[in-house]
Amino acid sequence: DVQLVESGGGSVQAGGSLALSCAASGAFGSGMCMGWFRQALGKQREGVAIIHTSGRFIYYLDSVKDRFTISQDNDKKTLYVQMNSLKPEDTAMYYCAARFGTWYSCGNSADAYTYWGQGTQVTVS
């Protein structure tokens, strides 16, 4: 089993920045797709940024390209996302998620991910 714990959410004005972290523990290992998803009120959960632990796959939702940067520290078992130029439409609960798989199997569908953190709220006003 893999446990994920997010941190770093909060409130920020439009144009500001926030950084989220996701600490993994348990059976975390190489060969995992890890990512950030978000869910705004009344909307479906969507994949924001995905990375494979090998570094061979990175995905960004179009609306966050050039503003968000996903990164990882596999030694620390930690996933990050740096969010710049935040907009009110980025307001959502942000979740860290993971699944075992090859880099070419990584996708942005929430249904494909096995392990989830509890979420951290990001509010942009």
Side-chain angles (χ1 to χ4, degrees), residues 4-9 18-24 34 36 71 77-83 94-96 117-120:
L4 303 171
V5 179
E6 303 98 335
S7 60
L18 281 174
L20 305 182
S21 299
C22 172
M34 298 193 70
W36 293 95
S71 61
K77 299 182 180 180
T78 304
L79 181 72
Y80 307 95
V81 64
Q82 176 66 41
M83 306 184 294
Y94 282 71
Y95 297 90
C96 176
Q118 80 288 354
T120 185

Side-chain angles (χ1 to χ4, degrees), residues 8-20 67-68 82-92 94 121-125:
S11 296
V12 66
Q13 291 188 334
S17 298
L18 281 174
L20 305 182
R67 299 189 299 120
F68 289 15
Q82 176 66 41
M83 306 184 294
N84 298 327
S85 302
L86 283 161
K87 304 175 181 180
E89 50 264 44
D90 294 318
T91 295
Y94 282 71
Q121 179 67 37
V122 171
T123 303
V124 185
S125 59

Side-chain angles (χ1 to χ4, degrees):
D1 204 10
V2 176
Q3 294 79 43
L4 303 171
V5 179
E6 303 98 335
S7 60
S11 296
V12 66
Q13 291 188 334
S17 298
L18 281 174
L20 305 182
S21 299
C22 172
S25 61
F28 178 89
S30 61
M32 296 193 75
C33 304
M34 298 193 70
W36 293 95
F37 291 75
R38 68 187 182 188
Q39 188 165 19
L41 285 175
K43 295 188 176 181
Q44 289 189 331
R45 193 169 295 189
E46 61 182 358
V48 175
I50 312 291
I51 189 168
H52 190 264
T53 49
S54 67
R56 297 181 68 180
F57 176 89
I58 295 178
Y59 161 87
Y60 291 102
L61 184 68
D62 282 348
S63 62
V64 308
K65 283 179 180 177
D66 300 324
R67 299 189 299 120
F68 289 15
T69 302
I70 191 171
S71 61
Q72 61 189 351
D73 185 330
N74 290 337
D75 290 338
K76 295 183 178 179
K77 299 182 180 180
T78 304
L79 181 72
Y80 307 95
V81 64
Q82 176 66 41
M83 306 184 294
N84 298 327
S85 302
L86 283 161
K87 304 175 181 180
E89 50 264 44
D90 294 318
T91 295
M93 184 70 80
Y94 282 71
Y95 297 90
C96 176
R99 59 179 287 264
F100 288 99
T102 56
W103 66 268
Y104 46 84
S105 72
C106 291
N108 63 336
S109 172
D111 291 341
Y113 285 75
T114 310
Y115 307 105
W116 291 87
Q118 80 288 354
T120 185
Q121 179 67 37
V122 171
T123 303
V124 185
S125 59

